[in-house]
Amino acid sequence: MQNFTFQSPTKFIFGKETELKVGKEVKHHGKKILLHYGGGSIKKSGLYDRVVKALKDENIDFVELSGVQPNPRLSLVKEGIELCRREKVDFILAVGGGSVIDSAKAIAVGVHYDGDVWDFFEGKSKIGTIIPIGVVLTLPATGSEASSGTVITNEEGWYKKSCGHNLMRPRFAIMNPELTYSLPPYQTASGVADIMAHVMERYFTNEKNVDFTDRLCEATLKSMIKNLPIALKNPRDYAARAEIMWAGTIAHNGLLGTGREEDWASHNIEHELSGIYDVTHGAGLAVIFPAWIKYVYKNNMSIFAQFASRVWEVEPDFDHLEVTIETAIEKMKDFFRAAGLPVTLEELNIPDDRLEEMAEKCTENGPVGSLVKLYKEDVLNIYHLAKK
Amino acid sequence: MQNFTFQSPTKFIFGKETELKVGKEVKHHGKKILLHYGGGSIKKSGLYDRVVKALKDENIDFVELSGVQPNPRLSLVKEGIELCRREKVDFILAVGGGSVIDSAKAIAVGVHYDGDVWDFFEGKSKIGTIIPIGVVLTLPATGSEASSGTVITNEEGWYKKSCGHNLMRPRFAIMNPELTYSLPPYQTASGVADIMAHVMERYFTNEKNVDFTDRLCEATLKSMIKNLPIALKNPRDYAARAEIMWAGTIAHNGLLGTGREEDWASHNIEHELSGIYDVTHGAGLAVIFPAWIKYVYKNNMSIFAQFASRVWEVEPDFDHLEVTIETAIEKMKDFFRAAGLPVTLEELNIPDDRLEEMAEKCTENGPVGSLVKLYKEDVLNIYHLAKK
């Protein structure tokens, strides 16, 4: 087990009707608020009205910035930064899913920075003063409600890049599973694929003797495998929605990676897809992860055999562990397929013609991954494995 | 799943040589420190010298209070409160195990309180201003390095009582598994029994649809079942020591209880043992928990059958689930016995003559437990089941 520092200070307020508490929570942190959200869905569902009422009940002064898209854009972040400066905003409330939260985080780091906020994503500058943020979560997937990172897409060149800092972790996250009843099946399933990917990026490690976190990871994956079909069958199943929502947070607040070397190749490889083709991140991961496992598993048979046995309940064939592992890959693909997710680039309608360009871009700052370091050729091979 | 609020803001600094960072951490929080510890063990091991050097290197001014005993005493807490007031202490550094941390927490809540600190333990007063504390942990067991509670023994009448508040959670916890190499086998095993008990108090619930936290609990228990024998066989096995130390924290920082109704009868029943006979808390739990399960399991067969099957790997006999569960109880007792722990009151050298008095005291404020509410007669029956 490696040395680590872990701190997840976010206050999680979880359960039915918890969004009504948002005014009281915000009041602890700020005087002038930016209310940040996506499109019309929170207005249609009535959530917008409930949040605004809760803010007004506490006499909280706020300005609004809507229009966050999936794979949130740098241009809107810059607009938000200008708005916060002009209005002297001291707290950002993100109401939405991971895209809105990530956009809020990027605005939060930019407000008190003199240069271009993209500098942080290119590693050109170190994050300093940050405006605190809070969250009302509507889509369990990215774990951004607890994580220290943000992923933003720069439309100039369609670069999708991340940056992170412990101070970026939200002060509070209000999580009412009922708010996810209205999610379309595809969004629900993509969210779970993203959650599972966050666990797997940590699970697949060469670090030995990490038994406790191995098992926490397996627990999280098994719970998703059990609960996604329930939520798809009955979108108003509170228990299944709640399990998915809470697991999504724990999958990515850092706990499951403590003491481990994490991988993150699949996320990088997927980012090129959703950067260029604007596919749903979780759906992209459902395509890339099985291909990645297929490409790398021979480098560490024990961790993948353990995954096959404990998570997918494949009876190990100790003479042919590769059979055991490949069976698990097929079970994982069947699981995603049954949830209505794509498992090939073809199903994502992604053609061949830019695969090389994506592999190039993915590795332009050096190889990706840590279980196995992957260079351009490897990434290209994985795209080809994912084709159909 | 129940609504919940969960926040575990403690910064965990985990791994080899991390105690050398204590000066820098303390410096963020206080100017005048109380260094609080137990007896000679941290002096013998050299830890005391390393901590003092780290404090001096940062020019941190401190006073000392040693002498914390297992089942920490109210009299020393009161002495600490006086000392902190006199010396204008604004931060307490606890170096030791759960007793030292609990003692530090009790001092921390008392310093700025006008009345008797015991008021908080009797529920007569609400906790207000608290001096922050930090921890260098030497014994994984109570989880006090992350928890919001403290348990103190009042020598006047040998009452062992707890109180809690989120503000009591330590600001940081420095956790070097190497510091636990020198723990005697009995302390190591008792610590693990305590850790497992913290999980089981949360696991055994009537709340349905808590699949994710069920599995996190099982993961923690299985990891302890695997790693305790390794640590006992080779006390210097870093990996096993690290698994136990980190699991001990997660077992009791509140995560595993999120959304669940918790029980805590066994802890209450055990407190009467260690209050009067001064037995090691974890050893007392190894005696009480199997007896408690035996007494209550028929009230919720599914959770105990799941426990038997998933944690102790007993193949379920679906026609006779009671056989499945009783087999698991025997496996649990065998596990504790093999670790050198007592599993009967007889082995703890506790005679019969005060059982009734203990049952009376345990329930004097009403029944204990939540899976099943236990009255005086029930508690007495459990003591009798635990006799031999």
Side-chain angles (χ1 to χ4, degrees):
Chain A
M1 197 191 294
Q2 298 185 343
N3 281 16
F4 64 83
T5 298
F6 171 65
Q7 187 174 25
S8 172
T10 307
K11 179 179 181 183
F12 302 105
I13 302 157
F14 192 101
K16 295 177 183 174
E17 299 191 356
T18 45
E19 69 273 21
L20 304 178
K21 299 182 179 175
V22 68
K24 288 206 163 56
E25 285 303 318
V26 166
K27 212 167 170 112
H28 296 311
H29 300 288
K31 287 196 160 50
K32 183 69 180 269
I33 309 303
L34 174 68
L35 178 58
H36 197 37
Y37 56 98
S41 70
I42 68 164
K43 292 201 169 163
K44 218 169 70 184
S45 71
L47 175 60
Y48 173 85
D49 291 335
R50 293 201 297 285
V51 167
V52 164
K53 182 176 182 307
L55 293 175
K56 286 188 173 162
D57 283 352
E58 298 292 330
N59 297 309
I60 292 161
D61 192 14
F62 64 93
V63 292
E64 298 188 28
L65 180 65
S66 64
V68 182
Q69 301 169 59
N71 299 314
R73 305 300 156 83
L74 183 61
S75 55
L76 192 76
V77 167
K78 289 185 172 174
E79 201 181 311
I81 291 170
E82 285 311 314
L83 180 61
C84 286
R85 286 177 183 160
R86 209 162 55 233
E87 298 283 345
K88 303 205 183 337
V89 162
D90 60 2
F91 187 83
I92 304 175
L93 179 65
V95 181
S99 300
V100 177
I101 305 167
D102 279 8
S103 182
K105 285 175 174 174
I107 295 170
V109 300
V111 176
H112 294 299
Y113 175 62
D114 283 340
D116 183 340
V117 68
W118 193 247
D119 290 351
F120 297 123
F121 294 82
E122 291 193 318
K124 286 184 187 162
S125 196
K126 275 183 81 172
I127 289 170
T129 317
I130 299 179
I131 290 183
I133 77 163
V135 170
V136 177
L137 187 67
T138 61
L139 198 169
T142 71
S144 193
E145 68 279 9
S147 78
S148 58
T150 171
V151 184
I152 297 292
T153 297
N154 185 343
E155 304 97 311
E156 291 176 20
W158 297 104
Y159 284 95
K160 189 169 174 177
K161 286 191 183 286
S162 60
C163 78
H165 193 289
N166 240 349
L167 286 172
M168 247 192 247
R169 295 185 190 263
R171 297 301 172 93
F172 64 80
I174 289 178
M175 304 168 70
N176 177 357
E178 294 175 311
L179 299 178
T180 69
Y181 286 170
S182 57
L183 285 175
Y186 190 72
Q187 292 304 321
T188 300
S190 296
V192 169
D194 195 13
I195 292 167
M196 292 175 71
H198 290 153
V199 180
M200 293 190 290
E201 296 284 17
R202 294 173 165 98
Y203 186 77
F204 296 121
T205 184
N206 294 321
E207 189 70 25
K208 293 287 175 192
N209 301 308
V210 282
D211 179 60
F212 174 49
T213 43
D214 273 358
R215 290 181 193 275
L216 294 180
C217 289
E218 293 154 6
T220 312
L221 291 169
K222 290 192 78 152
S223 181
M224 293 304 87
I225 293 167
K226 176 173 173 182
N227 284 286
L228 174 58
I230 300 173
L232 290 174
K233 200 170 168 195
N234 177 11
R236 301 178 71 85
D237 187 303
Y238 181 82
R241 291 293 193 181
E243 302 280 9
I244 292 169
M245 197 172 222
W246 190 217
T249 301
I250 300 306
H252 202 45
N253 79 340
L255 173 65
L256 303 190
T258 50
R260 310 173 75 90
E261 188 176 61
E262 305 183 4
D263 192 75
W264 297 100
S266 300
H267 262 73
N268 279 296
I269 296 170
E270 194 289 322
H271 278 178
E272 299 310 322
L273 298 188
S274 48
I276 294 182
Y277 294 100
D278 214 19
V279 305
T280 305
H281 177 52
L285 286 163
V287 172
I288 296 300
F289 235 113
W292 175 82
I293 296 177
K294 214 174 174 95
Y295 191 74
V296 304
Y297 78 76
K298 286 188 179 140
N299 293 275
N300 185 335
M301 298 285 277
S302 15
I303 190 71
F304 289 98
Q306 180 178 298
F307 173 70
S309 157
R310 292 201 198 157
V311 176
W312 295 100
E313 295 174 12
V314 181
E315 206 159 73
D317 176 344
F318 293 98
D319 283 330
H320 307 94
L321 282 182
E322 68 281 7
V323 175
T324 307
I325 295 164
E326 302 232 2
T327 306
I329 297 173
E330 288 313 311
K331 284 188 98 166
M332 182 159 85
K333 286 167 85 167
D334 289 346
F335 169 78
F336 287 143
R337 229 182 256 118
L341 289 171
V343 292
T344 64
L345 290 176
E346 198 173 81
E347 287 163 11
L348 269 181
N349 296 316
I350 291 182
D352 285 10
D353 56 343
R354 297 180 73 179
L355 297 183
E356 181 145 354
E357 176 196 341
M358 294 194 296
E360 174 75 41
K361 224 162 149 187
C362 180
T363 53
E364 70 183 10
N365 296 318
V368 294
S370 119
L371 184 116
V372 183
K373 282 198 187 316
L374 301 172
Y375 295 85
K376 184 189 159 188
E377 280 311 300
D378 302 305
V379 173
L380 189 58
N381 288 336
I382 289 168
Y383 285 134
H384 281 290
L385 273 176
K387 262 160 61 174
K388 48 181 155 197
Chain B
M1 196 192 293
Q2 299 185 343
N3 280 15
F4 64 83
T5 298
F6 171 64
Q7 187 175 25
S8 171
T10 307
K11 179 180 181 185
F12 302 105
I13 303 156
F14 192 101
K16 295 177 182 174
E17 298 191 357
T18 45
E19 70 272 20
L20 304 179
K21 299 180 178 175
V22 69
K24 287 204 163 58
E25 285 302 318
V26 166
K27 212 168 170 107
H28 297 311
H29 301 287
K31 287 196 160 54
K32 182 69 181 270
I33 310 302
L34 174 68
L35 177 58
H36 197 38
Y37 55 98
S41 70
I42 67 164
K43 293 202 169 165
K44 219 169 71 186
S45 71
L47 176 60
Y48 173 85
D49 290 336
R50 293 201 296 285
V51 167
V52 164
K53 181 175 182 309
L55 294 175
K56 287 188 173 163
D57 283 352
E58 298 292 331
N59 296 310
I60 292 162
D61 192 15
F62 64 92
V63 291
E64 299 188 26
L65 179 65
S66 65
V68 182
Q69 302 169 57
N71 300 314
R73 306 299 155 85
L74 183 61
S75 54
L76 191 75
V77 167
K78 290 187 170 173
E79 201 181 313
I81 291 170
E82 285 311 314
L83 178 62
C84 286
R85 287 176 182 160
R86 209 163 53 233
E87 298 282 343
K88 302 205 182 338
V89 162
D90 61 1
F91 187 84
I92 304 175
L93 178 64
V95 181
S99 300
V100 176
I101 305 167
D102 279 7
S103 182
K105 285 175 173 174
I107 295 170
V109 300
V111 174
H112 293 301
Y113 176 63
D114 283 341
D116 183 339
V117 69
W118 193 245
D119 289 352
F120 297 122
F121 294 83
E122 290 194 319
K124 288 184 187 161
S125 197
K126 275 184 80 173
I127 290 170
T129 317
I130 298 179
I131 291 183
I133 76 163
V135 169
V136 177
L137 186 67
T138 60
L139 198 168
T142 70
S144 193
E145 69 278 10
S147 78
S148 58
T150 170
V151 184
I152 296 293
T153 297
N154 183 344
E155 304 97 312
E156 289 176 22
W158 296 104
Y159 283 96
K160 190 169 174 178
K161 286 191 182 288
S162 60
C163 78
H165 193 289
N166 239 349
L167 288 173
M168 246 192 249
R169 294 185 191 262
R171 296 302 172 94
F172 65 80
I174 289 177
M175 303 168 69
N176 177 356
E178 294 175 310
L179 299 179
T180 69
Y181 286 170
S182 57
L183 285 175
Y186 191 73
Q187 293 303 322
T188 299
S190 297
V192 169
D194 194 14
I195 291 167
M196 293 175 71
H198 289 153
V199 181
M200 293 190 289
E201 296 284 16
R202 295 174 164 97
Y203 187 78
F204 296 120
T205 185
N206 293 322
E207 188 70 25
K208 293 286 175 193
N209 301 309
V210 282
D211 179 59
F212 175 49
T213 43
D214 273 359
R215 290 180 192 275
L216 294 180
C217 288
E218 293 154 6
T220 313
L221 290 170
K222 290 190 77 150
S223 183
M224 293 303 88
I225 293 167
K226 177 173 172 181
N227 283 288
L228 174 58
I230 301 173
L232 289 175
K233 199 169 169 196
N234 177 10
R236 301 178 70 85
D237 186 304
Y238 181 81
R241 291 293 193 182
E243 303 280 9
I244 292 169
M245 197 173 222
W246 190 217
T249 299
I250 301 306
H252 201 45
N253 79 338
L255 172 65
L256 302 190
T258 50
R260 310 172 74 90
E261 188 177 62
E262 306 183 2
D263 192 77
W264 298 99
S266 300
H267 263 72
N268 279 296
I269 296 170
E270 194 289 323
H271 278 177
E272 299 309 321
L273 298 187
S274 48
I276 294 182
Y277 295 101
D278 215 18
V279 304
T280 305
H281 177 52
L285 286 163
V287 171
I288 295 299
F289 234 113
W292 175 83
I293 296 177
K294 215 175 173 96
Y295 191 74
V296 304
Y297 78 77
K298 285 187 180 142
N299 293 276
N300 186 334
M301 298 285 278
S302 17
I303 190 70
F304 289 99
Q306 180 177 296
F307 174 70
S309 157
R310 291 201 198 156
V311 176
W312 295 100
E313 295 173 13
V314 181
E315 206 159 74
D317 176 344
F318 292 98
D319 283 328
H320 307 95
L321 283 182
E322 67 282 7
V323 175
T324 308
I325 296 165
E326 300 233 3
T327 306
I329 297 173
E330 288 312 311
K331 283 188 101 166
M332 182 160 85
K333 287 168 85 167
D334 288 347
F335 170 78
F336 287 144
R337 229 182 255 119
L341 289 171
V343 291
T344 64
L345 290 177
E346 197 172 81
E347 286 164 11
L348 269 182
N349 296 316
I350 290 180
D352 287 9
D353 55 345
R354 298 180 71 178
L355 297 183
E356 181 143 356
E357 175 195 341
M358 294 193 297
E360 174 75 42
K361 224 162 149 186
C362 180
T363 53
E364 68 183 10
N365 296 319
V368 293
S370 118
L371 184 117
V372 183
K373 284 201 186 312
L374 301 172
Y375 295 84
K376 183 189 158 187
E377 280 311 299
D378 302 306
V379 173
L380 189 58
N381 287 337
I382 289 168
Y383 285 135
H384 280 291
L385 273 176
K387 263 162 61 176
K388 49 181 154 194

